[in-house]
Amino acid sequence: MSRRKAFLLKLLVYLFFLNSISFFIYLSHYKSEKNPSFIIENHTKLPLLEEEKKKNSSFLKGKSWPILPSYSPWNLNPNVRVQSCEGYFGSGFNKKIDLLIRSPDIHTSANYGGGGWFRCFYSETLESSICEGGRVRMNIDRISMSMGGENLEIVIGRGEEEELPSFEPGSFEIEAGNDQRVNGNKLVSQEFLDQFVPEGVVVRHTMRRLLDSIRLVNSEEFKCSQWVEEPILLVTRFEYANLFHTVTDWYSAYAASRVTGVPTRPHLVFLDGHCKSQLEETWSALFSSLRYAKNFSGSVCFRHVILSPLGYETALFKGLTEVINCQGAEAHSLWHNPNDLQTARLTEFGEMIRASFGLPLEEIRAQKSQVPRHNVLFVRREDYLAHPRHDGRVESRLSNEQEVFDSLKVWIDNNSFGCEVNLVNGLFAHMHMKEQVRAIQDASVIIGAHGAGLTHIVAAAPKAIILEIISSYFRRPHFALISQWRGLEYHAINLDGSSADPDVVIGYLRQILGSLGC
């Protein structure tokens, strides 16, 4: 057996062991009688529940978590240093706040109740919280927003204010046992919100407003028209048609799922009224299922619900305005030699995206007898209708993009290299998300003008090289930072204006291909 195969076998066994331990910890955590605060009921003890389950419950099969080569456990480690790379990108949500602890006499209610539970995990680094609870009721008629999920063409001109949720008091309620004195009380105080869910730069902090709407309800009044048994992740999206901002939402939702330790990928409920978009293909791939909140009717109760933080509170977004001094590194090196200035979390996340689409995670190597083959992907900016308030025209960041692409094609077609070079026309606006991710994964070199499409480099191959063409009107650090945090080689061509000299771009590509042995 070769060293590489032996290493891969050991890695596979190690990852299987880690996942088994995580699954065991999750089950122990929720079923242990020593921690009655977060017990999931043993339904076999409650005959009334079995009858109700047949009538009103929804059972949704969850997708299993894929085995990711760069995965590390998301433990609630108190030793994670504030503003370390793990604090920014990983398990920095290590301050647990119990807001509602279930009463030990959980089976005393005539309707198998006895109280829900609720807690939050706070990250001092990100100044953000991930929250979760049990026996939570959503009263959808108290939440004002559009239906969501419509085809774009039928909602042209609809305002964003109509699509974002507005919560009345009691939009969400938690069963609080039999104590009549708590009925109608708020779950959280203003002091709690200011300390653990600060508004920061977010003008409309929907998670904060959701928490502020939660009321406690006694068992006698906690009636549900439908129960959802599997873990549910509630997500409110901003700038939902923009890939960069959606990637921040994906990352936040992924982190919330990992921090709360759910054994399978949670089911997704969009707590917003946005219409359908192409990016839903990736939401659906990443999680077990997808549904819009307004598709429910009546009072819907969740056995386990998770609140995902806003994408604006991720390191991906915060890094645009504050220094996050982290360098991407290989996961196995960090397992043996932890380093506060290095991270493999974005690599792990990129693997999660690829695995969710069924794409291979191991590098496919050419045989020695074959000529090395390198794809050069040119990510294009195209006009397309993105959302109801969009006119269909994309702002140009490279005014002579077609000329640059044509020049690269002529140069590649008319030159001999020590390898096979293939220029790929990345017309992403007309490609399914899986095909976009596949094109990114298969590329040795990724070229593009500054634009949201380049955010796909979170899922690029580990040795991919990034060449960004930057207009003087759009000098922003998004993709230099993602490259840094992924550990990818990055080059920039800074323009004087918005037009690039094709010969200069060819010169950069010649040097990059030379470094690849071409």
Side-chain angles (χ1 to χ4, degrees), residues 104-135:
D105 57 342
I106 61 171
H107 299 306
T108 59
S109 172
N111 68 338
Y112 66 85
W117 54 273
F118 203 92
R119 64 184 177 184
C120 294
F121 302 95
Y122 178 68
S123 167
E124 188 176 345
T125 299
L126 296 174
E127 297 182 314
S128 174
S129 290
I130 292 168
C131 298
E132 63 174 340
R135 301 184 73 82

PDB file of all heavy atoms in Angstrom, residues 104-135:
ATOM      1  N   PRO A 104     -37.905  19.839  36.125  1.00  0.00           N
ATOM      2  CA  PRO A 104     -37.688  18.391  36.256  1.00  0.00           C
ATOM      3  C   PRO A 104     -38.971  17.583  36.126  1.00  0.00           C
ATOM      4  O   PRO A 104     -38.953  16.444  35.676  1.00  0.00           O
ATOM      5  CB  PRO A 104     -37.089  18.244  37.652  1.00  0.00           C
ATOM      6  CG  PRO A 104     -36.490  19.575  37.950  1.00  0.00           C
ATOM      7  CD  PRO A 104     -37.399  20.576  37.280  1.00  0.00           C
ATOM      8  N   ASP A 105     -40.142  18.150  36.516  1.00  0.00           N
ATOM      9  CA  ASP A 105     -41.385  17.377  36.446  1.00  0.00           C
ATOM     10  C   ASP A 105     -42.025  17.559  35.074  1.00  0.00           C
ATOM     11  O   ASP A 105     -43.130  18.048  34.926  1.00  0.00           O
ATOM     12  CB  ASP A 105     -42.357  17.791  37.551  1.00  0.00           C
ATOM     13  CG  ASP A 105     -42.685  19.279  37.507  1.00  0.00           C
ATOM     14  OD1 ASP A 105     -41.910  20.024  36.863  1.00  0.00           O
ATOM     15  OD2 ASP A 105     -43.708  19.673  38.093  1.00  0.00           O
ATOM     16  N   ILE A 106     -41.292  17.125  34.042  1.00  0.00           N
ATOM     17  CA  ILE A 106     -41.698  17.436  32.667  1.00  0.00           C
ATOM     18  C   ILE A 106     -42.887  16.625  32.192  1.00  0.00           C
ATOM     19  O   ILE A 106     -43.474  16.934  31.174  1.00  0.00           O
ATOM     20  CB  ILE A 106     -40.530  17.227  31.696  1.00  0.00           C
ATOM     21  CG1 ILE A 106     -40.078  15.761  31.737  1.00  0.00           C
ATOM     22  CG2 ILE A 106     -39.385  18.151  32.012  1.00  0.00           C
ATOM     23  CD1 ILE A 106     -39.076  15.423  30.657  1.00  0.00           C
ATOM     24  N   HIS A 107     -43.261  15.564  32.885  1.00  0.00           N
ATOM     25  CA  HIS A 107     -44.341  14.721  32.408  1.00  0.00           C
ATOM     26  C   HIS A 107     -45.597  14.853  33.260  1.00  0.00           C
ATOM     27  O   HIS A 107     -46.434  13.956  33.304  1.00  0.00           O
ATOM     28  CB  HIS A 107     -43.904  13.257  32.370  1.00  0.00           C
ATOM     29  CG  HIS A 107     -42.748  13.015  31.461  1.00  0.00           C
ATOM     30  ND1 HIS A 107     -42.747  13.400  30.148  1.00  0.00           N
ATOM     31  CD2 HIS A 107     -41.542  12.441  31.686  1.00  0.00           C
ATOM     32  CE1 HIS A 107     -41.594  13.052  29.583  1.00  0.00           C
ATOM     33  NE2 HIS A 107     -40.852  12.482  30.497  1.00  0.00           N
ATOM     34  N   THR A 108     -45.748  15.978  33.954  1.00  0.00           N
ATOM     35  CA  THR A 108     -46.897  16.113  34.842  1.00  0.00           C
ATOM     36  C   THR A 108     -48.108  16.692  34.153  1.00  0.00           C
ATOM     37  O   THR A 108     -49.220  16.564  34.642  1.00  0.00           O
ATOM     38  CB  THR A 108     -46.528  17.025  36.028  1.00  0.00           C
ATOM     39  OG1 THR A 108     -46.141  18.303  35.518  1.00  0.00           O
ATOM     40  CG2 THR A 108     -45.375  16.426  36.819  1.00  0.00           C
ATOM     41  N   SER A 109     -47.919  17.328  33.013  1.00  0.00           N
ATOM     42  CA  SER A 109     -49.051  17.979  32.348  1.00  0.00           C
ATOM     43  C   SER A 109     -49.976  16.963  31.699  1.00  0.00           C
ATOM     44  O   SER A 109     -49.543  15.934  31.183  1.00  0.00           O
ATOM     45  CB  SER A 109     -48.536  18.949  31.282  1.00  0.00           C
ATOM     46  OG  SER A 109     -49.595  19.432  30.520  1.00  0.00           O
ATOM     47  N   ALA A 110     -51.256  17.274  31.721  1.00  0.00           N
ATOM     48  CA  ALA A 110     -52.233  16.380  31.120  1.00  0.00           C
ATOM     49  C   ALA A 110     -52.047  16.252  29.618  1.00  0.00           C
ATOM     50  O   ALA A 110     -52.433  15.263  29.017  1.00  0.00           O
ATOM     51  CB  ALA A 110     -53.648  16.873  31.421  1.00  0.00           C
ATOM     52  N   ASN A 111     -51.447  17.272  28.991  1.00  0.00           N
ATOM     53  CA  ASN A 111     -51.237  17.187  27.535  1.00  0.00           C
ATOM     54  C   ASN A 111     -49.760  16.948  27.210  1.00  0.00           C
ATOM     55  O   ASN A 111     -49.216  17.508  26.292  1.00  0.00           O
ATOM     56  CB  ASN A 111     -51.745  18.448  26.836  1.00  0.00           C
ATOM     57  CG  ASN A 111     -50.910  19.673  27.168  1.00  0.00           C
ATOM     58  OD1 ASN A 111     -50.232  19.687  28.188  1.00  0.00           O
ATOM     59  ND2 ASN A 111     -50.973  20.678  26.319  1.00  0.00           N
ATOM     60  N   TYR A 112     -49.146  16.099  28.005  1.00  0.00           N
ATOM     61  CA  TYR A 112     -47.756  15.634  27.864  1.00  0.00           C
ATOM     62  C   TYR A 112     -46.761  16.782  27.826  1.00  0.00           C
ATOM     63  O   TYR A 112     -45.664  16.651  27.321  1.00  0.00           O
ATOM     64  CB  TYR A 112     -47.592  14.751  26.617  1.00  0.00           C
ATOM     65  CG  TYR A 112     -47.799  15.441  25.293  1.00  0.00           C
ATOM     66  CD1 TYR A 112     -46.752  16.132  24.679  1.00  0.00           C
ATOM     67  CD2 TYR A 112     -49.027  15.423  24.654  1.00  0.00           C
ATOM     68  CE1 TYR A 112     -46.933  16.775  23.472  1.00  0.00           C
ATOM     69  CE2 TYR A 112     -49.214  16.062  23.448  1.00  0.00           C
ATOM     70  CZ  TYR A 112     -48.157  16.726  22.864  1.00  0.00           C
ATOM     71  OH  TYR A 112     -48.353  17.354  21.659  1.00  0.00           O
ATOM     72  N   GLY A 113     -47.108  17.934  28.379  1.00  0.00           N
ATOM     73  CA  GLY A 113     -46.221  19.087  28.307  1.00  0.00           C
ATOM     74  C   GLY A 113     -45.230  19.139  29.446  1.00  0.00           C
ATOM     75  O   GLY A 113     -44.698  18.139  29.881  1.00  0.00           O
ATOM     76  N   GLY A 114     -45.056  20.306  30.009  1.00  0.00           N
ATOM     77  CA  GLY A 114     -44.125  20.457  31.101  1.00  0.00           C
ATOM     78  C   GLY A 114     -43.058  21.483  30.824  1.00  0.00           C
ATOM     79  O   GLY A 114     -42.210  21.735  31.651  1.00  0.00           O
ATOM     80  N   GLY A 115     -43.060  22.069  29.644  1.00  0.00           N
ATOM     81  CA  GLY A 115     -42.151  23.176  29.425  1.00  0.00           C
ATOM     82  C   GLY A 115     -41.104  22.940  28.374  1.00  0.00           C
ATOM     83  O   GLY A 115     -40.592  21.835  28.202  1.00  0.00           O
ATOM     84  N   GLY A 116     -40.795  24.020  27.657  1.00  0.00           N
ATOM     85  CA  GLY A 116     -39.744  23.984  26.665  1.00  0.00           C
ATOM     86  C   GLY A 116     -38.429  24.432  27.258  1.00  0.00           C
ATOM     87  O   GLY A 116     -38.270  24.542  28.478  1.00  0.00           O
ATOM     88  N   TRP A 117     -37.490  24.691  26.405  1.00  0.00           N
ATOM     89  CA  TRP A 117     -36.170  25.154  26.833  1.00  0.00           C
ATOM     90  C   TRP A 117     -35.631  26.104  25.768  1.00  0.00           C
ATOM     91  O   TRP A 117     -36.046  26.068  24.613  1.00  0.00           O
ATOM     92  CB  TRP A 117     -35.200  23.987  27.039  1.00  0.00           C
ATOM     93  CG  TRP A 117     -35.061  23.078  25.854  1.00  0.00           C
ATOM     94  CD1 TRP A 117     -35.837  21.997  25.546  1.00  0.00           C
ATOM     95  CD2 TRP A 117     -34.081  23.176  24.797  1.00  0.00           C
ATOM     96  NE1 TRP A 117     -35.412  21.414  24.368  1.00  0.00           N
ATOM     97  CE2 TRP A 117     -34.341  22.110  23.895  1.00  0.00           C
ATOM     98  CE3 TRP A 117     -33.032  24.046  24.536  1.00  0.00           C
ATOM     99  CZ2 TRP A 117     -33.578  21.899  22.747  1.00  0.00           C
ATOM    100  CZ3 TRP A 117     -32.265  23.842  23.382  1.00  0.00           C
ATOM    101  CH2 TRP A 117     -32.541  22.780  22.513  1.00  0.00           C
ATOM    102  N   PHE A 118     -34.689  26.935  26.173  1.00  0.00           N
ATOM    103  CA  PHE A 118     -34.111  27.885  25.228  1.00  0.00           C
ATOM    104  C   PHE A 118     -32.758  28.346  25.749  1.00  0.00           C
ATOM    105  O   PHE A 118     -32.591  28.602  26.953  1.00  0.00           O
ATOM    106  CB  PHE A 118     -35.017  29.098  25.038  1.00  0.00           C
ATOM    107  CG  PHE A 118     -34.783  29.822  23.736  1.00  0.00           C
ATOM    108  CD1 PHE A 118     -35.518  29.490  22.606  1.00  0.00           C
ATOM    109  CD2 PHE A 118     -33.823  30.821  23.628  1.00  0.00           C
ATOM    110  CE1 PHE A 118     -35.310  30.134  21.390  1.00  0.00           C
ATOM    111  CE2 PHE A 118     -33.596  31.475  22.430  1.00  0.00           C
ATOM    112  CZ  PHE A 118     -34.347  31.133  21.310  1.00  0.00           C
ATOM    113  N   ARG A 119     -31.816  28.453  24.848  1.00  0.00           N
ATOM    114  CA  ARG A 119     -30.469  28.903  25.226  1.00  0.00           C
ATOM    115  C   ARG A 119     -29.770  29.524  24.028  1.00  0.00           C
ATOM    116  O   ARG A 119     -30.172  29.325  22.880  1.00  0.00           O
ATOM    117  CB  ARG A 119     -29.651  27.729  25.750  1.00  0.00           C
ATOM    118  CG  ARG A 119     -29.403  26.659  24.696  1.00  0.00           C
ATOM    119  CD  ARG A 119     -28.682  25.482  25.279  1.00  0.00           C
ATOM    120  NE  ARG A 119     -28.500  24.429  24.292  1.00  0.00           N
ATOM    121  CZ  ARG A 119     -27.956  23.247  24.564  1.00  0.00           C
ATOM    122  NH1 ARG A 119     -27.550  22.985  25.801  1.00  0.00           N
ATOM    123  NH2 ARG A 119     -27.817  22.353  23.622  1.00  0.00           N
ATOM    124  N   CYS A 120     -28.735  30.275  24.310  1.00  0.00           N
ATOM    125  CA  CYS A 120     -27.937  30.904  23.261  1.00  0.00           C
ATOM    126  C   CYS A 120     -26.460  30.645  23.511  1.00  0.00           C
ATOM    127  O   CYS A 120     -26.034  30.439  24.654  1.00  0.00           O
ATOM    128  CB  CYS A 120     -28.191  32.409  23.200  1.00  0.00           C
ATOM    129  SG  CYS A 120     -29.874  32.876  22.697  1.00  0.00           S
ATOM    130  N   PHE A 121     -25.692  30.650  22.440  1.00  0.00           N
ATOM    131  CA  PHE A 121     -24.238  30.522  22.505  1.00  0.00           C
ATOM    132  C   PHE A 121     -23.643  31.801  21.913  1.00  0.00           C
ATOM    133  O   PHE A 121     -23.863  32.108  20.742  1.00  0.00           O
ATOM    134  CB  PHE A 121     -23.771  29.302  21.711  1.00  0.00           C
ATOM    135  CG  PHE A 121     -24.370  28.010  22.175  1.00  0.00           C
ATOM    136  CD1 PHE A 121     -25.502  27.504  21.546  1.00  0.00           C
ATOM    137  CD2 PHE A 121     -23.827  27.305  23.239  1.00  0.00           C
ATOM    138  CE1 PHE A 121     -26.069  26.323  21.966  1.00  0.00           C
ATOM    139  CE2 PHE A 121     -24.390  26.117  23.670  1.00  0.00           C
ATOM    140  CZ  PHE A 121     -25.523  25.622  23.039  1.00  0.00           C
ATOM    141  N   TYR A 122     -22.898  32.509  22.725  1.00  0.00           N
ATOM    142  CA  TYR A 122     -22.404  33.832  22.336  1.00  0.00           C
ATOM    143  C   TYR A 122     -20.941  33.770  21.943  1.00  0.00           C
ATOM    144  O   TYR A 122     -20.116  33.109  22.587  1.00  0.00           O
ATOM    145  CB  TYR A 122     -22.581  34.802  23.493  1.00  0.00           C
ATOM    146  CG  TYR A 122     -22.058  36.199  23.230  1.00  0.00           C
ATOM    147  CD1 TYR A 122     -22.673  37.035  22.304  1.00  0.00           C
ATOM    148  CD2 TYR A 122     -20.943  36.683  23.914  1.00  0.00           C
ATOM    149  CE1 TYR A 122     -22.193  38.315  22.060  1.00  0.00           C
ATOM    150  CE2 TYR A 122     -20.458  37.969  23.685  1.00  0.00           C
ATOM    151  CZ  TYR A 122     -21.083  38.773  22.755  1.00  0.00           C
ATOM    152  OH  TYR A 122     -20.614  40.043  22.508  1.00  0.00           O
ATOM    153  N   SER A 123     -20.585  34.479  20.860  1.00  0.00           N
ATOM    154  CA  SER A 123     -19.202  34.625  20.427  1.00  0.00           C
ATOM    155  C   SER A 123     -18.735  36.038  20.755  1.00  0.00           C
ATOM    156  O   SER A 123     -19.250  37.010  20.186  1.00  0.00           O
ATOM    157  CB  SER A 123     -19.080  34.367  18.921  1.00  0.00           C
ATOM    158  OG  SER A 123     -17.815  34.798  18.440  1.00  0.00           O
ATOM    159  N   GLU A 124     -17.783  36.126  21.641  1.00  0.00           N
ATOM    160  CA  GLU A 124     -17.235  37.442  21.980  1.00  0.00           C
ATOM    161  C   GLU A 124     -16.460  38.020  20.799  1.00  0.00           C
ATOM    162  O   GLU A 124     -16.407  39.241  20.610  1.00  0.00           O
ATOM    163  CB  GLU A 124     -16.318  37.321  23.204  1.00  0.00           C
ATOM    164  CG  GLU A 124     -15.853  38.661  23.750  1.00  0.00           C
ATOM    165  CD  GLU A 124     -15.036  38.532  25.021  1.00  0.00           C
ATOM    166  OE1 GLU A 124     -15.061  37.438  25.634  1.00  0.00           O
ATOM    167  OE2 GLU A 124     -14.375  39.520  25.409  1.00  0.00           O
ATOM    168  N   THR A 125     -15.884  37.153  19.980  1.00  0.00           N
ATOM    169  CA  THR A 125     -15.127  37.609  18.814  1.00  0.00           C
ATOM    170  C   THR A 125     -16.037  38.268  17.790  1.00  0.00           C
ATOM    171  O   THR A 125     -15.766  39.367  17.297  1.00  0.00           O
ATOM    172  CB  THR A 125     -14.386  36.433  18.168  1.00  0.00           C
ATOM    173  OG1 THR A 125     -13.466  35.877  19.119  1.00  0.00           O
ATOM    174  CG2 THR A 125     -13.630  36.888  16.926  1.00  0.00           C
ATOM    175  N   LEU A 126     -17.136  37.591  17.447  1.00  0.00           N
ATOM    176  CA  LEU A 126     -18.047  38.089  16.421  1.00  0.00           C
ATOM    177  C   LEU A 126     -19.147  38.980  16.987  1.00  0.00           C
ATOM    178  O   LEU A 126     -19.887  39.602  16.226  1.00  0.00           O
ATOM    179  CB  LEU A 126     -18.686  36.908  15.680  1.00  0.00           C
ATOM    180  CG  LEU A 126     -17.728  36.011  14.884  1.00  0.00           C
ATOM    181  CD1 LEU A 126     -18.479  34.807  14.329  1.00  0.00           C
ATOM    182  CD2 LEU A 126     -17.063  36.793  13.761  1.00  0.00           C
ATOM    183  N   GLU A 127     -19.273  39.023  18.307  1.00  0.00           N
ATOM    184  CA  GLU A 127     -20.356  39.750  18.980  1.00  0.00           C
ATOM    185  C   GLU A 127     -21.699  39.330  18.395  1.00  0.00           C
ATOM    186  O   GLU A 127     -22.514  40.136  17.972  1.00  0.00           O
ATOM    187  CB  GLU A 127     -20.150  41.270  18.842  1.00  0.00           C
ATOM    188  CG  GLU A 127     -18.881  41.747  19.522  1.00  0.00           C
ATOM    189  CD  GLU A 127     -18.702  43.250  19.424  1.00  0.00           C
ATOM    190  OE1 GLU A 127     -18.898  43.799  18.315  1.00  0.00           O
ATOM    191  OE2 GLU A 127     -18.409  43.874  20.443  1.00  0.00           O
ATOM    192  N   SER A 128     -21.901  38.016  18.382  1.00  0.00           N
ATOM    193  CA  SER A 128     -23.072  37.412  17.765  1.00  0.00           C
ATOM    194  C   SER A 128     -23.452  36.163  18.546  1.00  0.00           C
ATOM    195  O   SER A 128     -22.607  35.567  19.224  1.00  0.00           O
ATOM    196  CB  SER A 128     -22.754  37.058  16.309  1.00  0.00           C
ATOM    197  OG  SER A 128     -23.812  36.355  15.705  1.00  0.00           O
ATOM    198  N   SER A 129     -24.721  35.754  18.432  1.00  0.00           N
ATOM    199  CA  SER A 129     -25.201  34.567  19.139  1.00  0.00           C
ATOM    200  C   SER A 129     -25.901  33.604  18.192  1.00  0.00           C
ATOM    201  O   SER A 129     -26.566  34.016  17.237  1.00  0.00           O
ATOM    202  CB  SER A 129     -26.180  34.957  20.258  1.00  0.00           C
ATOM    203  OG  SER A 129     -25.521  35.615  21.319  1.00  0.00           O
ATOM    204  N   ILE A 130     -25.730  32.320  18.497  1.00  0.00           N
ATOM    205  CA  ILE A 130     -26.531  31.248  17.900  1.00  0.00           C
ATOM    206  C   ILE A 130     -27.480  30.779  18.995  1.00  0.00           C
ATOM    207  O   ILE A 130     -27.047  30.496  20.116  1.00  0.00           O
ATOM    208  CB  ILE A 130     -25.637  30.086  17.435  1.00  0.00           C
ATOM    209  CG1 ILE A 130     -24.768  30.524  16.257  1.00  0.00           C
ATOM    210  CG2 ILE A 130     -26.471  28.859  17.061  1.00  0.00           C
ATOM    211  CD1 ILE A 130     -23.664  29.542  15.925  1.00  0.00           C
ATOM    212  N   CYS A 131     -28.770  30.712  18.701  1.00  0.00           N
ATOM    213  CA  CYS A 131     -29.752  30.336  19.725  1.00  0.00           C
ATOM    214  C   CYS A 131     -30.527  29.108  19.269  1.00  0.00           C
ATOM    215  O   CYS A 131     -30.689  28.858  18.072  1.00  0.00           O
ATOM    216  CB  CYS A 131     -30.721  31.488  20.007  1.00  0.00           C
ATOM    217  SG  CYS A 131     -29.918  32.976  20.658  1.00  0.00           S
ATOM    218  N   GLU A 132     -31.029  28.354  20.237  1.00  0.00           N
ATOM    219  CA  GLU A 132     -31.842  27.183  19.948  1.00  0.00           C
ATOM    220  C   GLU A 132     -32.818  26.953  21.089  1.00  0.00           C
ATOM    221  O   GLU A 132     -32.610  27.413  22.215  1.00  0.00           O
ATOM    222  CB  GLU A 132     -30.969  25.937  19.751  1.00  0.00           C
ATOM    223  CG  GLU A 132     -30.177  25.535  20.982  1.00  0.00           C
ATOM    224  CD  GLU A 132     -29.424  24.223  20.809  1.00  0.00           C
ATOM    225  OE1 GLU A 132     -29.795  23.429  19.913  1.00  0.00           O
ATOM    226  OE2 GLU A 132     -28.483  23.977  21.593  1.00  0.00           O
ATOM    227  N   GLY A 133     -33.914  26.260  20.771  1.00  0.00           N
ATOM    228  CA  GLY A 133     -34.912  25.981  21.793  1.00  0.00           C
ATOM    229  C   GLY A 133     -35.773  24.795  21.428  1.00  0.00           C
ATOM    230  O   GLY A 133     -35.727  24.282  20.314  1.00  0.00           O
ATOM    231  N   GLY A 134     -36.557  24.358  22.390  1.00  0.00           N
ATOM    232  CA  GLY A 134     -37.457  23.230  22.182  1.00  0.00           C
ATOM    233  C   GLY A 134     -38.858  23.560  22.636  1.00  0.00           C
ATOM    234  O   GLY A 134     -39.062  24.368  23.543  1.00  0.00           O
ATOM    235  N   ARG A 135     -39.860  22.947  21.986  1.00  0.00           N
ATOM    236  CA  ARG A 135     -41.267  23.201  22.230  1.00  0.00           C
ATOM    237  C   ARG A 135     -41.566  24.687  22.000  1.00  0.00           C
ATOM    238  O   ARG A 135     -42.057  25.402  22.864  1.00  0.00           O
ATOM    239  CB  ARG A 135     -41.688  22.736  23.626  1.00  0.00           C
ATOM    240  CG  ARG A 135     -41.437  21.251  23.856  1.00  0.00           C
ATOM    241  CD  ARG A 135     -41.928  20.767  25.199  1.00  0.00           C
ATOM    242  NE  ARG A 135     -43.383  20.700  25.232  1.00  0.00           N
ATOM    243  CZ  ARG A 135     -44.125  19.695  24.752  1.00  0.00           C
ATOM    244  NH1 ARG A 135     -43.522  18.673  24.161  1.00  0.00           N
ATOM    245  NH2 ARG A 135     -45.431  19.700  24.848  1.00  0.00           N
TER     246      ARG A 135
END
